[in-house]
Amino acid sequence: MGESSGYKEYVAGLVAGVATVIIGHPFDTVKVKLQKHNTEAHGITYRSGLHCTSRILKTEGIRGLYRGATSSFVGVAFESSLLFGIYSQTKQSLQGGVQGGGPQLQVIIPSAAYGGALISFVLCPSELLKCRMQVQGTDSMVPKSSRYGSPLDCALKTIKTEGVTGIFRGGCTTLLRESAGNAVFFSVYEYVRYYMHSRLKAASSYHSHLIDMGIGIVSGGLGGVAFWSAVLPLDVAKTIIQTAPDKSSSRNPFQILSSIYRRAGFKGCYTGLGPTIVRAFPANAAAIVTWELAIKILGIKHD
């Protein structure tokens, strides 16, 4: 990044977050339902992500795939704004204003992990509402009398029955997922982007906006795949923690993953891998392309 541009970096991040939800939320709904149903000892078990998707479309239509999207739009847009803004400014601060050269892991990792840790406080409540809305649709084991009418209804009932701290259930797991995952995401993104730009500059002096977009698609997409490949087990544990009906159930992600491993093996810890990876590439590619386009429009220099 060039000179600090204050709020502009946060605005660019917010736009990227909106793009992420539009592209990725249907895949996220399938992932959450797989994680909820396929890790429990009772209830329906889906054969695959496609089976789950077809069940949702058959009973609820397209709207079912966007269940919980309202809280997701608010949470992810705000989270993305903070993440990209904090990452960019922390990275600049750690670089000491020195530009140029290749990516530096000693700068990227702490900047991304710090940003990821801070956004977890925003993501945790929004994802709790999203997950609880998502699991009560098709094939839900939740009694109709106990279902939520909207994300606001979900928030109010959660606070009423569990207190204010109930809205932050799964907070530690979310913090672990976001700090580790974003360190992986930005490392992959920065290195792939740098490598592709270097190769293309060496091959040709001609450079276009389409080439930049192509690099953004590949670097962002691969970064997203790397993120979820690294932290999906933590996400599985988070879904179980946040959707468990018993508020006294375990909130230790490693204890939960150990229980899943004993029952379903390593595969169980990666429940929802298919739709997660299918979602990760286009959703994160869209986020990076939108972010890079926004910072250009806003006049922010990008190395």
Side-chain angles (χ1 to χ4, degrees):
M1 293 288 167
E3 292 182 10
S4 178
S5 42
Y7 75 93
K8 291 182 179 180
E9 290 161 346
Y10 294 89
V11 172
L14 186 146
V15 176
V18 172
T20 303
V21 177
I22 292 171
I23 300 295
H25 192 82
F27 297 100
D28 186 69
T29 297
V30 174
K31 178 205 72 173
V32 169
K33 290 185 80 67
L34 283 169
Q35 290 175 343
K36 176 65 175 175
H37 288 274
N38 287 22
T39 56
E40 292 184 337
H42 55 277
I44 188 170
T45 298
Y46 299 112
R47 295 191 298 273
S48 65
L50 282 175
H51 178 218
C52 179
T53 304
S54 66
R55 291 280 302 165
I56 295 171
L57 289 173
K58 185 177 179 180
T59 57
E60 299 180 76
I62 293 291
R63 185 179 178 183
L65 291 172
Y66 278 92
R67 184 179 286 275
T70 304
S71 62
S72 196
F73 268 115
V74 174
V76 174
F78 188 39
E79 165 265 320
S80 181
S81 173
L82 288 175
L83 175 63
F84 282 103
I86 292 168
Y87 170 73
S88 300
Q89 295 189 339
T90 306
K91 178 184 166 190
Q92 183 185 29
S93 176
L94 292 176
Q95 284 175 329
V98 178
Q99 304 297 318
Q104 301 173 308
L105 282 179
Q106 69 270 27
V107 171
I108 296 169
I109 290 175
S111 300
Y114 176 59
L118 290 182
I119 64 166
S120 69
F121 294 99
V122 176
L123 265 184
C124 180
S126 71
E127 288 202 359
L128 180 136
L129 302 181
K130 172 186 70 69
C131 288
R132 291 188 175 186
M133 292 296 293
Q134 286 172 323
V135 300
Q136 70 176 13
T138 303
D139 302 316
S140 176
M141 297 291 288
V142 180
K144 288 189 176 182
S145 59
S146 301
R147 295 185 185 183
Y148 307 111
S150 67
L152 178 59
D153 181 45
C154 179
L156 293 174
K157 286 180 178 176
T158 298
I159 293 171
K160 184 178 180 179
T161 57
E162 301 179 45
V164 176
T165 56
I167 211 79
F168 287 95
R169 186 197 286 199
C172 290
T173 308
T174 306
L175 188 148
L176 284 172
R177 185 195 70 179
E178 290 301 310
S179 54
N182 279 296
V184 172
F185 171 81
F186 280 105
S187 296
V188 172
Y189 160 68
E190 296 278 14
Y191 271 94
V192 171
R193 181 178 181 274
Y194 178 78
Y195 175 79
M196 291 187 72
H197 271 295
S198 300
R199 299 287 288 186
L200 288 170
K201 277 185 180 178
S204 172
S205 58
Y206 178 72
H207 201 78
S208 72
H209 292 304
L210 281 177
I211 290 176
D212 284 338
M213 187 176 290
I215 292 173
I217 289 170
V218 175
S219 58
L222 290 178
V225 170
F227 177 110
W228 287 107
S229 297
V231 300
L232 186 59
L234 284 172
D235 188 66
V236 171
K238 183 192 73 69
T239 296
I240 293 169
I241 291 169
Q242 293 187 324
T243 59
D246 183 2
K247 60 184 180 182
S248 64
S249 58
S250 174
R251 300 189 187 188
N252 183 327
F254 304 107
Q255 189 178 60
I256 289 169
L257 288 172
S258 176
S259 175
I260 293 171
Y261 181 78
R262 287 195 299 271
R263 186 168 62 249
F266 189 71
K267 184 180 178 181
C269 296
Y270 273 86
T271 300
L273 178 64
T276 300
I277 296 301
V278 170
R279 167 192 180 271
F281 196 98
N284 287 279
I288 288 297
V289 169
T290 306
W291 177 57
E292 292 186 344
L293 178 62
I295 62 177
K296 280 183 181 178
I297 293 172
L298 292 168
I300 305 170
K301 185 180 176 183
H302 192 196
D303 293 337

